[in-house]
Amino acid sequence: MTLQERDKAHLWHPLTQHKVKPDALGITKAKGVYLYDEHGKEYIDGIASWYTCMYGHCNPFITEKVAQQMQTLDQVVFAGFTHEPAVKLSEALVSILPGNQQKLFFSENGSTAVDVAIKMAFQYHFNGGDKRDTLIAFEDGFHGDTFGAMSVSSLSVYNGPFEDFFLKVIRIPTPDGSNNADVVERLKQVIAENKVAAFVYEPLVQGAAAMKMYDLNGLQSLLACCKENDVLTIADEVMTGFGKTGKNFASEFLEIKPDFICMSKALTAGLLPMAITSCTQEIYDAFYDDDIAKGFFHGHTYTANPLACMAALAGIELLASEDVQGNIQMVVESHKEFDQEIKTHPKVAGTRQQGVIYALDLNIKMERYGNLRDMLFKHFMDQGVFLRPLGNTIYILAPYTITKKELEKIYDSIKSALDLVL
Ligand SMILES: *Cc1c(COP(=O)(O)O)cnc(C)c1O
């Protein structure tokens, strides 16, 4: 029996209605930018497996470091103990984070990184004797699937069973350049009428909203308004972090730095699940007290797992390397050339790019998981390219290590896909 057949007995896949989507393709190995299925067919991983393995799959520089670490220290409780991989990672990460980020708190995935920031924000105010109960988020944001992260994400038909149990969140539109003043007014009004603890946002690019890019100055004004009103700012860089936007972190494009940054996905180069919530010294100091209850009593079992820390360290080393930085430039330029070629195509409604993130909207209305999406997905897979269209958007977010020739193959598959669209 194939993996695809055996899978059906016991496995329940994420984000899947199994009655409609009964089949999961068996993947047997991955190397560099390629995935290999159980029939031996290869696919370019055009979305770096949800933008995690940005240095290519099974990158030997990373796997060797992790394999070595495995022989030395596999796992230890991080409450009361510390270890070299975590200490080294803290030094390396703080050196590339925006300068105001000084303290790192570990968890296990992007959702928990956001939950940690939310809990810290509430407790920061609470510890100061100022109990607050409201969060602000963008209408079309995505921050994860745990309760806190889900609460600050956009509302969708999938939230139905849970909405009554959400945290108190007020949603505002993303600034698009033309509505900036209105959105700031709305924010001011929300802050005036509620006890707002924090504002949660994906800086510059909203991944799950089909790589929606919004106005930098608008965001800057919102952050300024938050600062003036003692509302903490939580930058969810789970998608944008580690070089994708053209800088190490999207927050670097903004003059006003956030109080928290949430990181996961590419943090560990796609090797192991881990997340970090960083924050300022000021946040940390609000928990530092003789009173034990003012501490942050939150912890996950695999906190700062040494193997995951080692993968993260190796990833940061690669990110800073000339090779990877040079290749990022190549990808950025290459996307720009492709954009020139494709943006006036009659079946393309619009295109956008931020760093190595490239997205194009098809000139067609369709359901997010409608038939066209399935047709496009199949087309790409037939062509040996793994892309995952979202709604009427096709986006590319390939590993930094991709070659020009491999990029061309992705572009060709998109060009031929446009012929399928009526
Ligand atoms: C993927 C993602 C998350 C959730 O991360 P998980 O590891 O899937 O829990 C949160 N925020 C953003 C911006 C993401 O892209």
Side-chain angles (χ1 to χ4, degrees):
M1 284 217 288
T2 61
L3 288 173
Q4 186 162 318
E5 286 155 356
R6 285 162 55 206
D7 172 274
K8 291 185 175 60
H10 304 296
L11 294 173
W12 190 339
H13 290 265
L15 311 171
T16 302
Q17 171 51 272
H18 281 270
K19 189 164 183 193
V20 180
K21 286 273 153 62
D23 296 323
L25 181 61
I27 297 294
T28 50
K29 65 176 187 177
K31 187 72 191 163
V33 299
Y34 290 98
L35 297 169
Y36 298 85
D37 75 13
E38 61 180 321
H39 314 291
K41 188 168 165 63
E42 61 179 43
Y43 308 89
I44 295 177
D45 189 349
I47 64 161
S49 288
W50 270 336
Y51 10 107
T52 53
C53 44
M54 296 307 294
Y55 315 98
H57 288 275
C58 299
N59 185 312
F61 180 80
I62 303 169
T63 54
E64 270 162 35
K65 287 199 178 217
V66 173
Q68 257 174 22
Q69 181 59 42
M70 252 179 206
Q71 313 296 320
T72 320
L73 175 65
D74 49 358
Q75 164 70 2
V76 67
V77 171
F78 204 61
F81 294 108
T82 193
H83 49 75
E84 178 85 14
V87 173
K88 259 188 150 166
L89 175 58
S90 69
E91 292 159 355
L93 190 52
V94 167
S95 79
I96 62 165
L97 278 166
N100 71 338
Q101 300 297 304
Q102 288 298 315
K103 296 285 178 180
L104 310 180
F105 192 93
F106 288 88
S107 64
E108 294 162 0
N109 57 68
S111 309
T112 54
V114 173
D115 276 4
V116 163
I118 290 173
K119 283 179 72 175
M120 282 181 175
F122 280 133
Q123 194 179 340
Y124 167 89
H125 294 294
F126 184 93
N127 281 359
D130 176 14
K131 215 167 152 180
R132 301 195 184 187
D133 62 1
T134 305
L135 297 165
I136 297 175
F138 282 135
E139 280 164 1
D140 39 13
F142 175 74
H143 301 287
D145 287 338
T146 54
F147 262 93
M150 178 174 58
S151 298
V152 289
S153 298
S154 66
L155 293 173
S156 84
V157 291
Y158 311 115
N159 292 144
F162 319 112
E163 264 170 44
D164 290 349
F165 316 115
F166 278 6
L167 299 176
K168 187 179 167 201
V169 177
I170 294 173
R171 294 177 178 77
I172 59 173
T174 42
D176 61 13
S178 68
N179 67 352
N180 289 7
D182 292 346
V183 181
V184 173
E185 265 323 296
R186 174 86 184 114
L187 177 69
K188 278 192 185 143
Q189 188 194 353
V190 171
I191 293 173
E193 291 169 1
N194 298 274
K195 287 174 159 293
V196 180
F199 167 47
V200 188
Y201 61 98
E202 295 156 273
L204 303 188
V205 189
Q206 297 176 301
M211 298 298 156
K212 180 172 170 180
M213 299 176 191
Y214 63 95
D215 191 60
L216 177 112
N217 292 323
L219 177 59
Q220 183 83 8
S221 310
L222 294 175
L223 297 180
C225 180
C226 287
K227 289 273 169 218
E228 280 161 25
N229 291 284
D230 194 26
V231 167
L232 298 176
T233 51
I234 300 173
D236 177 353
E237 297 233 22
V238 171
M239 191 283 287
T240 51
F242 301 95
K244 299 187 191 95
T245 59
K247 292 190 189 277
N248 288 337
F249 296 94
S251 294
E252 291 173 50
F253 286 96
L254 294 136
E255 275 156 45
I256 300 175
K257 303 304 177 208
D259 297 295
F260 299 93
I261 295 182
C262 306
M263 294 159 262
S264 189
K265 291 202 168 114
L267 165 68
T268 50
L271 223 73
L272 288 155
M274 187 173 76
I276 291 178
T277 306
S278 68
C279 69
T280 62
Q281 186 69 39
E282 190 199 337
I283 299 289
Y284 179 82
D285 288 347
F287 293 73
Y288 191 80
D289 201 279
D290 292 323
D291 180 358
I292 291 171
K294 285 202 171 170
F296 188 57
F297 282 84
H298 179 114
H300 297 279
T301 311
Y302 280 99
T303 288
N305 171 260
L307 308 179
C309 288
M310 213 56 197
L313 261 172
I316 291 172
E317 207 175 314
L318 285 178
L319 179 61
S321 71
E322 261 177 44
D323 272 4
V324 168
Q325 285 300 321
N327 223 57
I328 286 178
Q329 278 319 305
M330 184 280 287
V331 175
V332 169
E333 292 308 317
S334 178
H335 284 347
K336 280 186 189 157
E337 284 165 29
F338 175 59
D339 187 55
Q340 285 305 317
E341 190 185 335
I342 205 83
K343 71 178 179 194
T344 52
H345 191 289
K347 285 167 189 167
V348 174
T351 63
R352 55 196 171 274
Q353 180 180 358
Q354 175 74 51
V356 303
I357 308 167
Y358 183 79
L360 69 83
D361 297 330
L362 297 172
N363 199 358
I364 183 173
K365 291 258 177 285
M366 66 187 239
E367 290 305 314
R368 197 175 165 96
Y369 291 106
N371 289 340
L372 181 60
R373 184 220 174 258
D374 293 345
M375 195 173 81
L376 287 171
F377 181 77
K378 185 177 177 306
H379 165 81
F380 291 130
M381 292 299 275
D382 287 347
Q383 304 269 313
V385 173
F386 170 43
L387 291 177
R388 216 169 172 276
L390 285 169
N392 63 346
T393 303
I394 298 170
Y395 73 93
I396 310 172
L397 185 35
Y400 301 138
T401 49
I402 195 165
T403 63
K404 178 89 187 168
K405 198 162 159 238
E406 289 155 351
L407 276 172
E408 296 290 352
K409 185 164 176 184
I410 297 180
Y411 300 149
D412 287 343
S413 75
I414 293 177
K415 282 188 258 177
S416 56
L418 294 177
D419 297 332
L420 292 176
V421 183
L422 295 173

